[in-house]
Amino acid sequence: TKGHAGVDVLLQEAKESIEAAQNYRSELQQRLHGLNQARKQIRGSSGQARETLRKHFAELQAAATRLLAERLANLLTEVDTIEADSIKPLDDCQSLIEHGVGQADELLREGEAALRCGLGEKEDKLGSFTKKAMHIQLDSLPEVPALVDVPCVSAQFDDSLLSLLRDRVARHGAVSSHPPVQIEELQERPGSILVRWCKVDEDFAAADYRLQYRRSGSGGSQYEDAYIGRESEFLVLHLDPHTDYLFRVCARGEGRTEWSPWSIPQTGYTTLAPHEWRSGTEGYILSSRKNIALRNDSSQSRCPVLYSKAPTYFCGQTLTFKISASGQMDRRDSLGVCIDSESEEESLQRDQAVCISTNGAVFVNGKEMTNQLPAVTVGSAVTFDMEVVSLFPISNNNTSEGGNFKLRVTIGSGNREVVFDWLVDQPVDCLFFGCSFVHSGWKVLVF
């Protein structure tokens, strides 16, 4: 038996060693896979960079050749024009002179004939010759321009172009081993993802950032812009839960028009269902995604609170109500968070709820606080943040007093916020939200 026990121990040790070796091998294989991915990224991006450089410089070369050819053609045309314009008066002058020479030749011939003819005709011939000679004006000579007065065409160049070009070309284009911005964090939110990014290159002065996203997978969907601006975080809305999305970001330098290279795409997804208003509530119409509600009918004498479809607000998150249209204000209006959604009340200004009225008054469990926030108008964003502060021990003697669970609530609106503790009857980690408006025209997006 002793020998048996020894074998068992050895067997056990061998099994453990085999298992350890298998784990070690799979860990190493994973690292090899990681190395291959890294090599692929370096090789792939280098190949793309080469391709981009070649294409760009070939286009530049073609454009420069075209520009130079156009400029040469323009200058040659200028030479042609000067030449043609300057030769024309010379040609005119030549015609005049040639005409004069012809006339003089004819006169000479006539004069010589008159001298040679017999005495009988001589007087007539000499008379008509003299008349003709007087008519021609033998002393009128056309003006021929001096050489200093006619064009002497030449071409000049400014030597600075080549040195300017050399200077600019020497600085044109850049190769970087890393994009100047990278995605730092992807945080899941209800039906959305909060994307945060940061600069990797400290010397890069960013004027704007640009965030794009697309569905992951073989759907072949294109990247689309989600945000362009100065902020370094953005909440991308309208995402389907349990679906992978790819995010990438780039930046534009101060005073530049072109965007930097894209960051390495990061995959993110949300497991949290989007916030939705409850369908079928009297007095409200909802958008197709059920995240926008419009109060549409004020003819009713009373209108119930519009609640969320489910308790989708969790402590630790930020809930935002964005007002995109407004109606007439009433002090009974409310936007807020509550424990239950069964209540038939017409406002969240009631027990087990916290809310803000459109006039900025804050209510906790139905009681108005002294602190007030700015009135709610078009473009207002009202935010609710909650965290659990304390749980009181529930013993038989103090349950009747209630208030055994405390939440620290922060309501923000228009750069102002109020912070208070809210006592509720039972421990909760997920809450309903709701709104109520006495008058029609109010439109609220929740996220």
Side-chain angles (χ1 to χ4, degrees):
T1 56
K2 193 173 179 191
H4 265 246
V7 171
D8 286 350
V9 169
L10 285 172
L11 267 175
Q12 186 57 37
E13 278 180 5
K15 269 184 189 166
E16 282 171 10
S17 296
I18 287 169
E19 204 178 313
Q22 281 173 334
N23 288 343
Y24 183 59
R25 187 177 64 183
S26 78
E27 281 287 337
L28 287 175
Q29 277 170 337
Q30 267 184 314
R31 279 166 172 71
L32 268 180
H33 177 67
L35 272 178
N36 286 337
Q37 295 286 87
R39 186 175 279 111
K40 213 161 145 188
Q41 181 169 301
I42 294 168
R43 292 235 189 281
S45 61
S46 300
Q48 258 180 323
R50 277 185 209 102
E51 190 50 44
T52 306
L53 286 167
R54 288 194 186 107
K55 183 169 178 252
H56 175 77
F57 275 86
E59 283 170 1
L60 259 188
Q61 245 168 327
T65 305
R66 194 172 61 243
L67 286 174
L68 288 170
E70 279 170 13
R71 182 64 183 147
L72 173 61
N74 287 342
L75 291 170
L76 289 173
T77 306
E78 277 186 52
V79 173
D80 294 348
T81 307
I82 294 171
E83 183 182 36
D85 290 353
S86 313
I87 290 288
K88 189 180 182 303
L90 300 187
D91 287 348
D92 293 348
C93 187
Q94 184 164 342
S95 305
L96 209 62
I97 289 172
E98 282 168 354
H99 178 66
V101 168
Q103 276 187 321
D105 280 350
E106 202 180 315
L107 198 64
L108 280 172
R109 277 197 303 278
E110 224 174 284
E112 281 167 6
L115 289 176
R116 278 200 308 270
C117 69
L119 274 175
E121 298 169 284
K122 219 176 206 124
E123 197 178 340
D124 279 358
K125 285 250 166 116
L126 284 172
S128 88
F129 169 71
T130 312
K131 235 190 216 160
K132 204 171 214 174
M134 277 172 71
H135 183 66
I136 288 177
Q137 291 175 311
L138 288 174
D139 57 350
S140 89
L141 290 169
E143 185 81 37
V144 173
L147 288 183
V148 291
D149 296 330
V150 295
C152 176
V153 185
S154 64
Q156 301 84 38
F157 302 102
D158 174 1
D159 288 344
S160 67
L161 177 67
L162 204 56
S163 62
L164 269 176
L165 201 59
R166 193 177 294 120
D167 212 36
R168 290 303 292 267
V169 169
R171 294 202 309 271
H172 183 68
V175 172
S176 54
S177 59
H178 291 85
V181 245
Q182 292 287 15
I183 287 174
E184 189 177 29
E185 187 184 14
L186 296 171
Q187 264 187 25
E188 65 171 353
R189 295 286 171 88
S192 58
I193 292 174
L194 178 66
V195 186
R196 287 205 176 95
W197 53 89
C198 63
K199 278 199 311 183
V200 184
D201 180 354
E202 279 313 308
D203 301 330
F204 186 85
D208 285 307
Y209 296 104
R210 179 181 188 181
L211 172 68
Q212 290 191 334
Y213 74 105
R214 70 176 179 86
R215 262 177 196 268
S216 183
S218 57
S221 68
Q222 298 289 308
Y223 274 104
E224 52 184 286
D225 285 336
Y227 172 77
I228 295 176
R230 297 192 77 95
E231 300 298 322
S232 52
E233 64 172 55
F234 184 74
L235 185 66
V236 182
L237 295 171
H238 309 322
L239 302 181
D240 297 325
H242 305 288
T243 303
D244 282 350
Y245 289 89
L246 285 170
F247 297 89
R248 64 180 189 178
V249 68
C250 66
R252 184 160 49 192
E254 290 285 359
R256 306 302 287 266
T257 53
E258 76 282 0
W259 291 99
S260 77
W262 288 105
S263 66
I264 292 156
Q266 301 288 335
T267 305
Y269 65 93
T270 179
T271 57
L272 305 171
H275 291 315
E276 290 180 10
W277 296 107
R278 186 176 298 177
S279 305
T281 307
E282 227 178 328
Y284 292 91
I285 353 175
L286 307 183
S287 63
S288 59
R289 282 188 176 267
K290 301 195 173 26
N291 58 347
I292 301 173
L294 171 68
R295 172 80 171 90
N296 71 324
D297 175 16
S298 57
S299 61
Q300 289 167 264
S301 53
R302 57 187 292 279
C303 182
V305 170
L306 171 65
Y307 289 106
S308 56
K309 180 179 164 186
T312 48
Y313 173 69
F314 291 88
C315 291
Q317 292 179 0
T318 299
L319 179 74
T320 305
F321 296 105
K322 185 106 185 185
I323 308 294
S324 52
S326 64
Q328 195 183 322
M329 222 180 258
D330 191 288
R331 60 176 308 282
R332 289 167 297 173
D333 295 342
S334 62
L335 287 163
V337 173
C338 51
I339 304 291
D340 57 54
S341 63
E342 299 316 305
S343 160
E344 285 296 301
E345 312 268 340
E346 292 171 43
S347 173
L348 287 172
Q349 298 171 17
R350 61 167 176 86
D351 192 31
Q352 301 301 293
V354 288
C355 68
I356 176 176
S357 171
T358 47
N359 65 10
V362 176
F363 292 83
V364 186
N365 286 343
K367 295 187 178 64
E368 188 174 346
M369 287 181 69
T370 46
N371 287 359
Q372 209 171 350
L373 288 166
V376 175
T377 54
V378 175
S380 290
V382 179
T383 59
F384 284 77
D385 285 272
M386 300 197 185
E387 52 178 323
V388 176
V389 186
S390 63
L391 286 106
F392 300 110
I394 301 174
S395 61
N396 295 335
N397 58 6
N398 74 355
T399 46
S400 56
E401 293 165 27
N404 50 16
F405 195 72
K406 199 197 300 190
L407 296 170
R408 171 94 17 104
V409 181
T410 306
I411 305 179
S413 176
N415 303 338
R416 299 251 307 278
E417 54 181 40
V418 294
V419 183
F420 55 89
D421 287 345
W422 175 29
L423 293 174
V424 296
D425 308 2
Q426 69 241 30
V428 282
D429 64 344
C430 58
L431 297 132
F432 288 90
F433 55 85
C435 68
S436 70
F437 300 102
V438 174
H439 302 284
S440 65
W442 291 93
K443 192 173 182 181
V444 190
L445 162 69
V446 64
F447 59 86

